Each structure stands twice: as C-alpha cells, then as structure tokens.
C-alpha cells in the first residue's frame, strides 16, 4: 500500500480514537503523557505500580473476559493485593487463585504466579523489555508480548488479538488467514510514529465498531479504505461451539458445623476447592439445581445436602462457613454455595 494512502489511514484512525477511544481505561493512563485522561482516583491507585506490570495484569485478565467485569471486580483489587511482581511471587498459589476467583480460566493465574517467580530470579523482579524474552515466560504468547512491549514499554510493536484479526481480515479481504499472514499485515499496517494510540484504537475499533455481527461500517474510520466492508460477514467466520449436555450431581456435606470440600487435581479446576460428588447417599436431601457451562459442556447441576457427623471421605477437608471466605472456590462451588444459602438447610 502506498505510503501517502497509509498516512491517510493512520490519520483517520487516530482522529477516531481521539474522539471515541476508551482513553480513560486504567491500563491506558499509566504513562506520563496519558495521565490527563485518568480520574484522580484511578491515578492514585496506580501511583506506585510498575507500568509494564500493570499492563501485564490487564492483558492477562482481559483474555476471555469482558472489560466491564475486569474493571468492576478484579483489576484494582488484584493490584492492591499484589502490587508488584515480587509481591505476587511471594504469595501462595492459594492466595493468587482466591484473588482470581470468578474470572475463570485459572491457568492464567497459575502462569502469572510462575512468571512472577521467574522474573524475580532472572530479571530483578521486572518484566523483560525484549519480546522474545517475554514469550519465554509462562502464559505470555506473541500477542501478549507485543502488547506489553507497546503499552508497557512504548515500543513500536504490532500484534494480533481476536479484535485486530477481525479488523485486518476485513480491511484486506482475507478469508481464514493464518497467523503468519496476519502478523505480517499488522506490521505493514502499524503506525510506527504513534504505535501506542494506533494499537489501542484498533482494539477499540474491533470491540466497538467492527463487530462480529452487525458491524457499524458507516461510523468506522476505515470505511473509505476497507475492501471488505460490503460483505464483512464473509471475512469473520465464527465456529459454532458444539456443547455437550451433561448432568452433574453435587453433594454438600455438613459435618460438625463444617463443610467437606475436595481440592481438585483435575486440569480445569486444579487446586481449586469443590464440593463432593453425590453417589446415591440415601440420607441426602435434594435441595435444587442450576445451570452451568464451561468449555464445551452445558451442565445441569443437581445439588444434594447431607448432615452427618460420621461421614468419611479421605480426600476431603473440613472447613467452617468463615473459612470458605478465604478459600479459592471454583465457580461451580460458588454457585452450589449460593443455592445452599437459599435452602432450608442453611445455617
């Protein structure tokens, strides 16, 4: 693409971002020149936080999670508890998982914990500046490394996430492009004079305008240049998830005013606490059911309650009601607990 045309495109993107971009998001106000967009309260909370670390936390949290949820319930809370990589490295895995509780995809949290330990040992408790070094760390792929380099260290780096993939696929009329081609196009498309705003703008265009369905082409800053705008759905094929329906029977056991829980060893819920599995215990009472889904499963969870001071399960540990506030519970366990609290057996 000709240089003059690309300059026009870059100008249009930056103008749109200036008028419509989410410039006040806390992970975008970390550098001196962007603090003017932040609220006094947010700036105060971020005052002593390392910039690259604050960007890193946001990038990991925003994988598979909506901005609204991260902002309301997790981002600042996590930074208060773990204000640095050193603080994160010194925490127990249970503490990290508890802080992550409800965000899902807990491998992200476990990888952050491992990453913090490596950074303390090898990089003086800082994230490395180099993208190749970043990609060697647990849980940091090509996209996250590029985002940390650009947003954390102000390097002129391009990268591709789901939103940017959609924008570039439509812009260049690419059907099912492989990652190598997309990375090449992202480099060609990058505004090397203002990579920070350019990349933030692309993320926002993908999230707010170039939507998977019902794309808002008429207000897109790329509308005069986009080759796929008239058949945008063609350049964003989405795979429909085939869910498997399953029934899961859960048993809440109350033993001497305590609950019995098991620390999961399964990959999905590894080191998170869950209630026991119901196995036709005759004295157990059915208290209700709820819907739950994860990965490819749609679960109908049926919950039973058993009060038995003599109940034995060698894998289970006993916890008081108060203890549960400090345990890292799976979302399944949290939903089970909510159902129990509304039952006639709650105490």
């Amino acid at each position: 693409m000709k240089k003059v045309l690309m300059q026009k495109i870059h100008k249009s993107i930056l103008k749109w971002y200036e008028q419509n971009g989410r410039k006040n998001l806390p992970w975008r106000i970390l550098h001196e020149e962007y603090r003017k967009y932040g609220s006094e309260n947010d700036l105060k909370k971020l005052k002593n936080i390392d910039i690259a670390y604050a960007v890193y936390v946001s990038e990991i949290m925003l994988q598979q999670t909506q901005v609204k949820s991260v902002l309301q319930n997790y981002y600042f809370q996590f930074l208060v508890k773990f204000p640095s990589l050193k603080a994160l490295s010194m925490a127990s895995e249970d503490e990290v998982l508890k802080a992550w509780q409800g965000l899902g995809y807990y491998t992200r949290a476990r990888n952050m914990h491992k990453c913090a330990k490596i950074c303390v040992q090898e990089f003086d408790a800082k994230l490395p500046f180099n993208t190749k070094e970043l990609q060697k760390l647990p849980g940091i792929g090509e996209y996250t490394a590029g985002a940390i380099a650009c947003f954390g260290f102000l390097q002129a780096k391009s990268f591709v996430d789901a939103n940017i993939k959609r924008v570039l696929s439509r812009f260049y009329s690419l059907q099912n492009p492989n990652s190598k081609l997309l990375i090449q196009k992202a480099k060609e498309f990058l505004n090397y004079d203002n990579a920070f705003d350019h990349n933030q703008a692309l993320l926002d265009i993908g999230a707010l305008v170039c939507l998977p369905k019902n794309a808002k082409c008429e207000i897109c800053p790329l509308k005069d240049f986009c080759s796929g705008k008239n058949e945008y759905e063609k350049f964003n094929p989405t795979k429909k998830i085939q869910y498997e329906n399953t029934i899961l029977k859960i048993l809440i056991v109350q033993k001497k005013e305590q609950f019995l829980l098991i620390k999961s060893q399964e990959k999905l819920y590894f080191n998170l606490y869950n209630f026991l599995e119901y196995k036709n215990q005759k004295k157990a009472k059915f208290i209700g059911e709820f819907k739950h889904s994860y990965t490819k499963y749609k679960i109908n969870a049926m919950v039973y309650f058993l009060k038995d001071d003599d109940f034995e399960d060698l894998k289970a540990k006993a916890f008081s009601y108060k203890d549960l506030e400090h345990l890292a519970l799976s979302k399944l366990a949290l939903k089970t607990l909510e159902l129990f609290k509304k039952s006639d057996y709650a105490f």
Side-chain angles (χ1 to χ4, degrees), residues 291-310:
K291 304 288 185 192
H292 182 68
S293 61
Y294 68 82
T295 59
K296 63 176 183 176
Y297 298 100
K298 286 207 169 182
I299 297 167
N300 186 38
M302 306 182 74
V303 183
Y304 297 80
F305 175 72
L306 176 65
K307 186 173 182 179
D308 186 348
D309 290 350
D310 298 319

Side-chain angles (χ1 to χ4, degrees), residues 143-157:
Y143 161 75
T144 306
I148 293 169
C150 181
F151 302 145
F153 296 118
L154 295 179
Q155 296 178 42
K157 295 286 182 183

Side-chain angles (χ1 to χ4, degrees), residues 194 318 325:
N194 190 349
E325 293 174 18

Side-chain angles (χ1 to χ4, degrees), residues 10 26 41 49 56 61 65 68 84 103 122 160 173 202 222 242 314 332 342:
H10 289 162
N41 190 33
I49 308 289
Y56 167 57
M61 284 189 171
T65 310
K68 187 180 176 183
S84 65
L103 256 175
E122 297 183 19
V160 179
S173 296
L202 287 188
L222 297 172
Q242 294 295 319
L314 297 176
L332 195 66
K342 294 172 186 173

Side-chain angles (χ1 to χ4, degrees), residues 215-253:
K216 301 173 183 177
C217 296
E218 68 283 357
I219 62 166
C220 181
L222 297 172
K223 67 179 179 181
D224 294 335
F225 317 101
C226 178
S227 62
K229 65 185 175 191
N230 294 322
E231 41 186 357
Y232 63 83
E233 288 179 348
K234 184 177 170 184
F235 304 106
N236 184 50
T238 51
K239 289 181 183 176
K240 197 170 183 182
I241 300 171
Q242 294 295 319
Y243 284 103
E244 193 176 311
N245 292 313
T246 185
I247 293 172
L248 184 64
K249 294 183 177 181
I250 298 168
L251 180 66
I252 300 173
V253 178

Side-chain angles (χ1 to χ4, degrees), residues 89-108:
S89 75
M90 291 168 70
S92 68
E93 187 176 284
D94 282 347
E95 287 177 298
V96 178
L97 290 174
K98 179 63 182 174
W100 204 265
Q101 184 174 283
L103 256 175
Y105 299 94
Y106 288 89
T107 303
R108 295 181 293 171

Side-chain angles (χ1 to χ4, degrees), residues 253-260 305-309 318-324 340 345-347:
V253 178
Q254 183 190 332
K255 182 177 179 179
K256 295 176 182 176
E257 304 304 307
Q258 291 184 309
F259 293 108
L260 295 186
F305 175 72
L306 176 65
K307 186 173 182 179
D308 186 348
D309 290 350
F319 298 97
S320 69
Y321 231 144
K322 189 133 186 85
D323 289 335
L324 298 187
F340 174 74
Y345 302 98
F347 59 92

